[in-house]
Amino acid sequence: MEYNQSEFLIETIVPQDELIISRTDLKGVITYANETFANISGYSVEELVGQTHNIVRHPDMPKRVFKDMWNKLQNQQQWTGVVKNLRKDTGYYWVHATISGVYKEDKLVEYKSIRVPISYEDRLKYQKIYDQYRNIDKENIRRVIYS
Ligand SMILES: Cc1cc2nc3c(=O)[nH]c(=O)nc-3n(C[C@H](O)[C@H](O)[C@H](O)COP(=O)(O)O)c2cc1C
């Protein structure tokens, strides 16, 4: 994968006092997005709702992280983890996400995700871990073309 936009290297910092919240249907199609999610991702709420959640998937994220996420969710367990997300302008932001089921009369109807910022040290740590995972799994390596 190649990127030639310099925005690809620009990080958006998630404010400490705000939560990024979304809900999806059981297939991962966004049914609700709060204003903070829209602001941080660079999309409008209207642009997000109706899209699959991989609209913010960053190419640095290893496939195995999402495999683990969906395994947990499909086994009715909560998933927590660190995610690097892609902004509309190809910049990025890091979050710690807690994703779990939404139940109506004991029936799983949706998933919800609540995300908070992580420390600078953790951002460096997870970038390294995820680079290693992608290397081990022979996924894409990072290639940024400067224009
Ligand atoms: C409630 C919920 C929230 C999600 N949040 C994100 C997210 O913030 N970033 C992301 O890349 N994937 C998120 N996902 C996972 C995506 O649905 C998708 O599996 C992932 O982006 C990998 O894309 P792929 O399944 O097309 O390979 C979320 C899934 C659910 C159910």
Side-chain angles (χ1 to χ4, degrees):
M1 216 174 281
E2 287 181 6
Y3 292 87
N4 57 13
Q5 296 102 325
S6 53
E7 288 85 1
F8 191 63
L9 297 172
I10 297 179
E11 177 164 22
T12 295
I13 304 296
V14 179
Q16 287 290 343
D17 56 349
E18 289 189 51
L19 297 173
I20 299 174
I21 299 175
S22 62
R23 284 200 312 269
T24 72
D25 67 13
L26 299 182
K27 290 185 173 148
V29 176
I30 299 170
T31 56
Y32 169 83
N34 73 344
E35 281 295 335
T36 301
F37 181 23
N39 289 338
I40 299 295
S41 66
Y43 291 97
S44 64
V45 168
E46 293 73 27
E47 283 177 307
L48 290 168
V49 172
Q51 301 294 320
T52 49
H53 220 306
N54 63 7
I55 188 173
V56 290
R57 194 240 163 113
H58 196 284
D60 283 359
M61 284 302 294
K63 288 196 178 92
R64 64 162 90 176
V65 174
F66 298 115
K67 223 181 245 173
D68 175 57
M69 178 193 289
W70 281 103
N71 273 339
K72 283 254 159 59
L73 293 177
Q74 279 159 3
N75 285 308
Q76 318 260 313
Q77 289 173 301
Q78 171 177 292
W79 182 86
T80 61
V82 172
V83 184
K84 182 180 189 177
N85 275 333
L86 185 69
R87 282 174 48 91
K88 186 181 183 181
D89 65 7
T90 74
Y92 64 94
Y93 60 98
W94 282 96
V95 289
H96 179 271
T98 303
I99 307 183
S100 56
V102 178
Y103 293 84
K104 240 184 211 152
E105 290 159 8
D106 289 343
K107 196 172 172 278
L108 177 66
V109 288
E110 284 197 317
Y111 296 116
K112 62 173 188 289
S113 177
I114 300 177
R115 309 176 192 84
V116 295
I118 62 168
S119 69
Y120 179 67
E121 291 72 25
D122 277 349
R123 301 205 290 276
L124 295 181
K125 179 176 137 189
Y126 278 92
Q127 181 70 60
K128 275 193 189 153
I129 292 172
Y130 290 168
D131 283 350
Q132 280 170 0
Y133 285 170
R134 292 197 324 284
N135 263 327
I136 294 165
D137 297 342
K138 305 220 175 343
E139 290 180 52
N140 64 297
I141 49 162
R142 275 194 289 159
R143 249 168 103 192
V144 177
I145 311 297
Y146 297 92
S147 51

